[in-house]
Amino acid sequence: MDALLSIRDLEKRIDEFHLGPLDLTIEPGTITALIGNNGSGKSTLLKMIMNLVQPGMGNIKVNNILVHSDNENWKPYVAYQPQTIIGWDPFTGEMLKDLIAPLYPNWDESLFLRMVELFEIPLNKKFSKLSQGVQQKLNLTLTLPRNAPLLILDEPTSFMDIPSKKLLIDLLVDWMEPGDRSIIIASHQIDDIKKLSDYLFVLHNGEVLGHFEKEALMENYARYWLSDSVSEESIPGVVSREEHVLISNNPKETESYFEQMNTKWTNRSSLEMEDIITLLLTKNKGQ
Amino acid sequence: MNNWKIAYQINKWELKKSIFNIMLSYLVMLVFSLYLAREFPLYLESGLVFFDLVFLFMFGAAPLLPKPKAFEVQQIQSKLFVSPMVVLQKHLAIKNNVIIRSRLIMHTLYTFPMQLVALLILYSTTSLHNILSIGSFISFGLIWLSFSIYVGYMVPSLNIGVRMFWGNNTIFSVIFLLLIIILLFGLTLVHVVFDHGIVYWSILFARDYPLATGGISILLAFLGYHFWRNSMRKSLGRLMYG
């Protein structure tokens, strides 16, 4: 199947900030978490995919159509939930649905009604009168049923309560069922990343740190507790060391080194996703 | 569905929410029309700069009258001034041409009906009908309705968004005030140099050369429409709506 999204050699400079160069391909049936520190360029990247920001260099294709061209036929293929919602304030949920639904040929009315019920959204209240959490729920309720093949979510759960977050994760998993859709989700919420994503695309201050398959990334990291302290020399794969505890991002090489050096470890464990992300992002802090 | 129809559909709720302001704008323009009708004899006789200013405002800048705050052009980023409706539309599967048309529809609803009424009031209640035949009056109307396109479409163009070199509403207001002062100065200069104001001269042109005046006005309206449409299209492609 063709890629839903293909980004090549993308670069953007905004004042002192430089994003890229960046390549990314999103295949149907995958969920990619966009991860990075604050100001790493996640939202800028999403806005460039939506043609809200012009790239300095490179190109973006949605469903094989160049986004930054005169051909706008790519638009129904993408449903975008921005982090900051502008222009919705004077309208009620009903009005917004009336505006949005006809623009998407695959609008799923039953999913919309289900989400309204699950999230207990008052459709007759003005958007500006809703709490931030309910605004976010309404925004999602008006985004997911568009059934666009590519769903882009920018911090979708930052104001949501815990039960609603769980509901949303279940809804997104169900939504992915047909297998021909994809999600890109920018989030700082570790649960979203852990439970949803197949891939992690990691940015740090505009630079790409990597595009990882989540399971492979989890397997690539291991923590070792050593019986004796080790010399100061560098150990293959080790990315962090604190006295008797080492973390490696290449356990095979690290263990082979231990074997050669006859170093014993008392315990080995895998790392939590949160620790891996922290390591990825802090390792590059000084760069 | 054609682009105009989609544009109307996406404007439906904005229109409903704007009814009060549209009516208010009609009321203000009606007051202006009555003022123009009352002052018309004096204007023909001795010339009034303020008469020209009100006329220009009605046909060039009437939609600058306050809209509901949620639809008003506002600063949404450090240097971007735009109508929040345009940002909302940019986030959805709406083509840029449809966004442009939706702004033009709103602009037309705010302006065209009352511009037409103002012209009819002026023609039917003043000595203008003694000066201009029906044909010449149509030509006179074309001059000003065309002006409302090649100058007035600056307003929907502002709605689409403009990147300022500064990021401050106060500076925006100061510049606006300065423009009005410059305009007043220009209008006064026309009165001093040519003995009468621009409305007076437009009446004479319509009376003496109705066909040429009408033709040139239609051409200017056509050129103005395409100029602003291209300018809006460029803005929609260039500005950062994030």
Side-chain angles (χ1 to χ4, degrees):
Chain A
M1 238 188 276
D2 280 346
L4 278 177
L5 174 74
S6 148
I7 300 177
R8 293 285 163 264
D9 308 317
L10 190 74
E11 287 187 57
K12 177 73 186 175
R13 178 172 286 283
I14 303 171
D15 301 326
E16 298 303 302
F17 174 74
H18 183 257
L19 175 66
L22 187 157
D23 290 86
L24 174 64
T25 302
I26 302 288
E27 302 289 347
T30 60
I31 301 181
T32 303
L34 200 53
I35 293 162
N37 55 327
N38 294 325
S40 59
K42 302 186 294 291
S43 293
T44 306
L45 173 59
L46 299 184
K47 285 169 194 166
M48 278 197 275
I49 296 172
M50 285 305 294
N51 198 4
L52 300 169
V53 170
Q54 289 285 309
M57 282 177 78
N59 66 62
I60 300 172
K61 284 182 186 172
V62 168
N63 217 35
N64 232 5
I65 304 169
L66 273 175
V67 165
H68 299 272
S69 71
D70 289 338
N71 184 351
E72 296 175 276
N73 291 336
W74 58 272
K75 285 186 173 178
Y77 291 99
V78 192
Y80 170 58
Q81 189 224 13
Q83 197 176 355
T84 314
I85 306 153
I86 296 171
W88 288 29
D89 278 354
F91 304 115
T92 63
E94 270 303 347
M95 293 172 181
L96 288 163
K97 196 215 89 174
D98 202 44
L99 165 71
I100 294 168
L103 301 169
Y104 296 87
N106 298 323
W107 176 264
D108 185 343
E109 184 67 15
S110 60
L111 175 60
F112 170 74
L113 294 172
R114 201 170 130 226
M115 288 180 76
V116 167
E117 203 185 315
L118 283 172
F119 289 134
E120 297 172 354
I121 299 168
L123 286 179
N124 55 354
K125 245 180 152 180
K126 255 182 161 184
F127 189 77
S128 59
K129 303 280 178 204
L130 302 173
S131 70
Q132 276 183 312
V134 182
Q135 284 186 347
Q136 202 159 39
K137 288 177 196 171
L138 175 60
N139 194 359
L140 281 160
T141 303
L142 288 165
T143 306
L144 201 57
R146 294 177 202 174
N147 275 346
L150 181 61
L151 176 64
I152 297 179
L153 305 171
D154 195 354
E155 293 290 350
T157 59
S158 48
F159 296 110
M160 274 164 105
D161 52 61
I162 295 164
S164 302
K165 278 185 195 177
K166 196 187 164 315
L167 274 175
L168 176 68
I169 287 173
D170 293 343
L171 282 164
L172 290 175
V173 170
D174 285 351
W175 188 81
M176 286 295 289
E177 199 96 326
D180 55 352
R181 300 167 177 171
S182 291
I183 302 176
I184 301 176
I185 178 168
S187 180
H188 291 293
Q189 311 287 320
I190 201 70
D191 267 0
D192 299 351
I193 300 163
K194 234 175 9 190
K195 290 180 186 159
L196 282 171
S197 61
D198 304 305
Y199 293 93
L200 272 65
F201 190 75
V202 188
L203 288 168
H204 186 263
N205 294 342
E207 254 179 69
V208 180
L209 296 187
H211 188 192
F212 309 99
E213 198 193 340
K214 185 181 72 183
E215 296 305 326
L217 186 70
M218 296 293 285
E219 282 164 19
N220 277 351
Y221 278 82
R223 182 182 276 122
Y224 299 90
W225 279 264
L226 306 178
S227 44
D228 301 310
S229 54
V230 286
S231 59
E232 284 302 308
E233 67 184 276
S234 87
I235 301 170
V238 169
V239 287
S240 159
R241 56 206 285 176
E242 276 172 32
E243 294 186 16
H244 294 255
V245 183
L246 303 181
I247 294 173
S248 165
N249 67 0
N250 193 338
K252 215 170 156 187
E253 273 193 26
T254 308
E255 284 173 26
S256 130
Y257 173 85
F258 286 157
E259 218 171 287
Q260 272 174 33
M261 306 303 286
N262 209 18
T263 307
K264 301 269 179 256
W265 71 85
T266 55
N267 195 9
R268 174 196 151 139
S269 73
S270 51
L271 262 73
E272 289 290 325
M273 173 64 74
E274 202 167 352
D275 298 327
I276 296 173
I277 292 171
T278 308
L279 269 171
L280 279 170
L281 296 178
T282 50
K283 208 176 72 177
N284 287 276
K285 228 173 187 172
Q287 288 177 14
Chain B
M1 230 184 322
N2 76 43
N3 287 345
W4 284 109
K5 205 168 166 191
I6 304 171
Y8 174 73
Q9 271 191 355
I10 62 170
N11 274 0
K12 199 173 75 182
W13 291 110
E14 183 184 357
L15 184 59
K16 285 191 177 164
K17 290 270 172 187
S18 303
I19 285 291
F20 176 77
N21 288 72
I22 291 176
M23 290 302 147
L24 190 68
S25 153
Y26 287 178
L27 186 68
V28 172
M29 285 179 54
L30 183 67
V31 171
F32 285 167
S33 307
L34 295 174
Y35 162 82
L36 292 175
R38 200 189 71 182
E39 297 298 327
F40 189 70
L42 188 65
Y43 176 74
L44 285 186
E45 241 175 69
S46 51
L48 281 171
V49 175
F50 191 66
F51 185 97
D52 280 335
L53 186 70
V54 171
F55 212 93
L56 280 182
F57 176 78
M58 282 190 67
F59 286 89
L64 286 175
L65 287 167
K67 294 188 173 69
K69 192 164 169 29
F71 306 134
E72 196 75 86
V73 172
Q74 50 197 269
Q75 190 179 358
I76 64 153
Q77 265 176 20
S78 61
K79 287 171 185 170
L80 177 69
F81 288 75
V82 63
S83 161
M85 277 309 288
V86 172
V87 181
L88 181 156
Q89 291 168 356
K90 278 290 279 184
H91 286 175
L92 298 171
I94 300 174
K95 292 186 174 175
N96 287 347
N97 266 340
V98 176
I99 297 177
I100 292 169
R101 282 169 193 188
S102 93
R103 293 305 92 204
L104 294 183
I105 288 174
M106 285 311 291
H107 172 82
T108 306
L109 286 169
Y110 265 94
T111 55
F112 183 72
M114 274 317 287
Q115 286 169 344
L116 210 58
V117 168
L119 287 170
L120 291 173
I121 287 176
L122 201 62
Y123 190 66
S124 57
T125 64
T126 68
S127 59
L128 188 63
H129 64 268
N130 297 326
I131 305 169
L132 298 177
S133 66
I134 293 283
S136 298
F137 171 67
I138 290 172
S139 177
F140 174 71
L142 282 174
I143 293 176
W144 289 102
L145 291 175
S146 134
F147 178 81
S148 83
I149 291 176
Y150 61 76
V151 171
Y153 274 19
M154 184 180 58
V155 178
S157 181
L158 272 176
N159 275 258
I160 291 288
V162 58
R163 193 171 154 79
M164 301 291 189
F165 294 109
W166 61 87
N168 188 317
N169 272 325
T170 316
I171 301 178
F172 188 72
S173 309
V174 170
I175 300 264
F176 186 70
L177 197 70
L178 275 174
L179 282 177
I180 291 192
I181 292 169
I182 292 169
L183 182 65
L184 258 175
F185 178 75
L187 291 175
T188 311
L189 202 67
V190 172
H191 275 264
V192 171
V193 176
F194 299 105
D195 226 18
H196 280 285
I198 51 167
V199 177
Y200 177 90
W201 287 109
S202 68
I203 293 169
L204 288 198
F205 277 120
R207 187 193 65 188
D208 298 341
Y209 315 101
L211 277 180
T213 309
I216 291 169
S217 297
I218 290 170
L219 181 69
L220 285 175
F222 177 81
L223 294 175
Y225 171 75
H226 284 279
F227 170 80
W228 288 114
R229 204 184 60 169
N230 286 339
S231 154
M232 287 188 256
R233 207 181 281 161
K234 273 186 199 156
S235 298
L236 282 169
R238 198 186 55 232
L239 294 171
M240 292 206 280
Y241 290 96

